[in-house]
Amino acid sequence: MNYTQPMLREGALTDKVAIVTGGGSGLGKAMTKYFLELGAKVVITSRDLEKLKNTAKELEEQTGGKVLCVSCDVRNWDDVEAMKDVTLKEFGKIDILVNNAAGNFISPTERLSHSAFDSILDIVLKGTKNCTLSIGKHWIDNKIAGTVLNIVTTYSWTGSAFVVPSACAKAGVLAMTRSLAVEWAKYNIRFNAIAPGPFPTKGAWERLLPGDLAEKFDMRKKVPLRRVGEHQELANLAAYLVSDFSAFVNGEVVTIDGGEWLQGAGEFNMLEQIPSEMWDMLEMMIKSKKK
Ligand code: HXC
Ligand code: NAP
């Protein structure tokens, strides 16, 4: 048994049609690959059709599955509506929406122009809203059950310095997840989220740890399990949350970060740095105060 192995049973997503925004790279690509292996048809979208086509070719060859590439800027309502229409035309239905597309970069907030701030809010929050509203209305109007998986971050609830637009937008996406999980349950539409810790991808690492920052701030040291995530681990969780096996899971955000955010949060977690041989002395010092 190994966490880099596929988890769900063969055919777990047979006959499902999934849309993965930002599915041409990084974690979106990893989820797409696994959904295909499990029998789903997958629509991948982003602004770069060439990149999508290369990914589709690679994944179709690897899995024997069927991928539809659609150029779609999630910030643009008309693009999203057109993406929905072409999916219905090609695949006849939509069962699963994964709001994975995101934009992000590190910057002191006072250095940001108002439009730089907007560009992140627009991709992450408005993009998720556009896709959710477009496909959600289709499901509701046609009495179709659906499931939405939103990819957020652990700083959706802690906040984070130097990625403030992303933190604001992801917090909004988490609020949307929990709100619609309740409101649209009556339409048989489920909403869940995944909050990943560090999973190395080109897109994230180039913008969040440029230059030698990746060596300077070794992400593994921030994680109690002392490693970063493997893409298959996230794909396993995502596949479960979009599959019928999680039918009673609704409104949940599942953290997959090796304990990273809790390590930063616990008041005395820094005591991990105390060598074990020091604890006898510390215990003695504490007990001596009693006398
Ligand atoms: C300050 C910056 C900047 C930077 C861009 N801008 N980069 N400001 N510091 N490093 C400003 C620009 O000057 C411009 O402002 C505005 O932001 C929009 O920039 P454009 O390049 O015109 O925008 P666009 O082409 O739409 O690109 C969007 C982008 C880009 C977000 C800036 O990085 C992108 O395409 N990203 C997509 C992929 C991505 O980000 N993946 C990482 C996700 S990782 P002005 O004022 O000139 O208009 C993630 C992980 C979270 O979310 C958690 C990790 C643990
Ligand atoms: P990534 O490869 O850069 O993925 C982001 C994707 O979003 C890209 O494929 C990009 O494609 C697409 N995208 C960006 N702007 C778009 C727009 N306006 N319209 C449509 N698509 C757009 O980075 P990643 O690390 O895999 O991130 C995937 C998700 O995981 C994101 O939601 C991110 O916030 C989340 N996450 C990642 C980590 C991590 O450690 N990697 C941690 C926490 C959360 P184009 O540029 O071609 O449009």
Side-chain angles (χ1 to χ4, degrees):
M1 188 69 82
N2 184 323
Y3 56 78
T4 61
Q5 298 300 306
M7 180 182 85
L8 287 195
R9 70 165 68 156
E10 215 173 286
L13 296 178
T14 299
D15 294 333
K16 301 284 188 192
V17 175
I19 293 173
V20 180
T21 67
S25 63
L27 301 181
K29 182 177 170 183
M31 290 186 277
T32 299
K33 179 168 184 261
Y34 193 37
F35 293 177
L36 291 166
E37 285 170 357
L38 291 169
K41 292 178 191 143
V42 186
V43 182
I44 56 174
T45 76
S46 91
R47 298 163 298 178
D48 182 345
L49 189 58
E50 211 42 48
K51 180 173 83 178
L52 294 174
K53 283 182 176 164
N54 289 334
T55 297
K57 186 169 178 288
E58 180 189 327
L59 297 186
E60 284 185 341
E61 278 168 12
Q62 281 174 5
T63 66
K66 179 89 189 94
V67 182
L68 176 66
C69 302
V70 185
S71 168
C72 166
D73 187 328
V74 290
R75 293 173 285 195
N76 183 335
W77 175 256
D78 292 339
D79 274 18
V80 171
E81 283 281 277
M83 180 267 286
K84 177 189 69 183
D85 291 343
V86 75
T87 301
L88 292 172
K89 189 161 166 262
E90 289 294 317
F91 287 156
K93 62 170 186 154
I94 302 164
D95 303 290
I96 295 161
L97 167 64
V98 182
N99 286 306
N100 164 80
N104 202 358
F105 53 78
I106 48 166
S107 176
T109 308
E110 67 275 17
R111 287 173 58 96
L112 295 175
S113 67
H114 67 90
S115 63
F117 206 121
D118 280 350
S119 80
I120 304 300
L121 289 180
D122 285 353
I123 299 170
V124 176
L125 184 52
K126 194 170 151 192
T128 300
K129 175 273 291 180
N130 282 343
C131 295
T132 304
L133 204 56
S134 172
I135 288 154
K137 279 169 184 264
H138 162 74
W139 283 333
I140 292 166
D141 290 347
N142 294 284
K143 296 189 169 43
I144 294 168
T147 184
V148 178
L149 177 64
N150 292 328
I151 309 301
V152 295
T153 66
T154 55
Y155 60 64
S156 306
W157 57 88
T158 63
S160 176
F162 302 106
V163 284
V164 170
S166 172
C168 296
K170 294 286 192 184
V173 172
L174 183 56
M176 196 191 306
T177 308
R178 290 174 168 153
S179 306
L180 287 177
V182 174
E183 190 180 330
W184 285 2
K186 60 180 172 283
Y187 302 122
N188 258 320
I189 302 172
R190 288 190 300 130
F191 282 81
N192 289 296
I194 293 178
F199 282 74
T201 64
K202 190 168 181 288
W205 258 229
E206 278 177 353
R207 293 173 177 92
L208 302 173
L209 295 164
D212 63 357
L213 290 195
E215 287 144 47
K216 224 175 196 155
F217 303 109
D218 183 352
M219 295 304 267
R220 287 170 302 185
K221 290 195 180 135
K222 293 180 71 224
V223 179
L225 290 174
R226 294 290 178 262
R227 69 171 177 88
V228 291
E230 292 282 339
H231 289 195
Q232 183 66 44
E233 291 179 277
L234 186 124
N236 282 340
L237 178 58
Y240 166 68
L241 287 173
V242 301
S243 77
D244 294 338
F245 292 113
S246 63
F248 204 46
V249 183
N250 187 29
E252 189 54 76
V253 53
V254 183
T255 302
I256 177 165
D257 75 341
E260 182 198 30
W261 85 269
L262 282 169
Q263 173 162 297
E267 185 85 41
F268 286 97
N269 288 352
M270 76 286 189
L271 298 186
E272 183 62 33
Q273 289 168 27
I274 290 186
S276 51
E277 58 273 18
M278 253 181 87
W279 279 109
D280 282 346
M281 188 184 70
L282 292 171
E283 184 178 338
M284 225 165 59
M285 284 164 71
I286 296 164
K287 285 182 172 167
S288 71
K289 297 294 170 203
K290 207 170 154 190
K291 292 170 200 146

